[in-house]
């Protein structure tokens, strides 16, 4: 094949658009579509259903988000059902406050005994023993 600098006008006319000589390049036309192609806009036909495609993708995304939320709620409920000592047991500070709030007072003991309906002479209750 001659170099481009050596080619003259008649040699250039023999070259096709693709750079090959002969009948091999006859199918291509200036707009990039083949002459025998029935619809030159075939590659853009996907745009015809673009709204339907977008709606379908949006539904899939919403469904995925819904499933993720349900899964997270399930995990949260499961965490609530489990006994976690660090979360469910009171801290040492809370127990200390409760103990400090307790007090023993005998001031009302006599009044409670006077109003009591219990028999002070009764035998002590022992489970499993019949009297």
């Amino acid at each position: 094949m001659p170099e481009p600098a050596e080619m003259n006008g008649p040699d250039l006319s023999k070259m096709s658009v693709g750079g090959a000589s002969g009948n091999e390049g006859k199918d291509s036309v200036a707009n990039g579509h083949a002459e025998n192609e029935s619809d030159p806009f075939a590659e853009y036909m996907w745009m015809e259903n673009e709204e339907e495609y977008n709606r379908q993708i949006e539904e899939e995304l919403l469904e995925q988000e819904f499933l993720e939320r349900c899964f997270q709620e399930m995990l949260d409920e499961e965490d609530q059902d489990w006994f976690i000592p660090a979360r469910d047991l009171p801290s040492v500070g809370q127990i200390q406050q409760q103990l400090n709030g307790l007090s023993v007072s005998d001031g009302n003991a006599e009044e409670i005994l006077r109003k009591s309906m219990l028999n002070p002479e009764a035998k002590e209750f022992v489970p499993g023993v019949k009297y």
Side-chain angles (χ1 to χ4, degrees), residues 13 15-16 31 51-52 63 75 80 88 91 93 104 106 120:
S13 64
M15 297 292 291
S16 66
N31 66 359
E51 291 176 2
E52 177 66 25
E63 182 178 350
L75 290 176
Q80 290 174 358
D88 298 333
S91 67
V104 178
D106 290 333

Side-chain angles (χ1 to χ4, degrees), residues 29 31-49:
V29 289
N31 66 359
H33 296 284
E35 289 178 9
N36 60 359
E37 190 174 327
S38 61
D39 187 6
F41 299 105
E43 68 181 89
Y44 302 105
M45 291 306 289
W46 66 269
M47 292 181 180
E48 178 181 13
N49 299 324

Side-chain angles (χ1 to χ4, degrees), residues 63-120:
E63 182 178 350
Q64 183 179 3
E65 180 183 339
F66 175 74
L67 289 174
E68 287 174 3
R69 273 189 282 131
C70 289
F71 188 71
Q72 187 60 43
E73 286 178 15
M74 181 184 70
L75 290 176
D76 292 343
E77 287 176 5
E78 190 174 278
D79 282 346
Q80 290 174 358
D81 292 343
W82 287 89
F83 175 76
I84 302 171
R87 181 191 69 196
D88 298 333
L89 290 178
S91 67
V92 175
Q94 291 173 331
I95 293 173
Q96 190 66 36
Q97 286 178 347
Q98 290 175 351
L99 288 175
N100 290 340
L102 296 177
S103 64
V104 178
S105 63
D106 290 333
N108 294 337
E110 292 177 13
E111 186 177 331
I112 292 173
L113 288 175
R114 207 170 11 98
K115 293 180 181 178
S116 174
M117 302 295 285
L118 296 176
N119 181 4

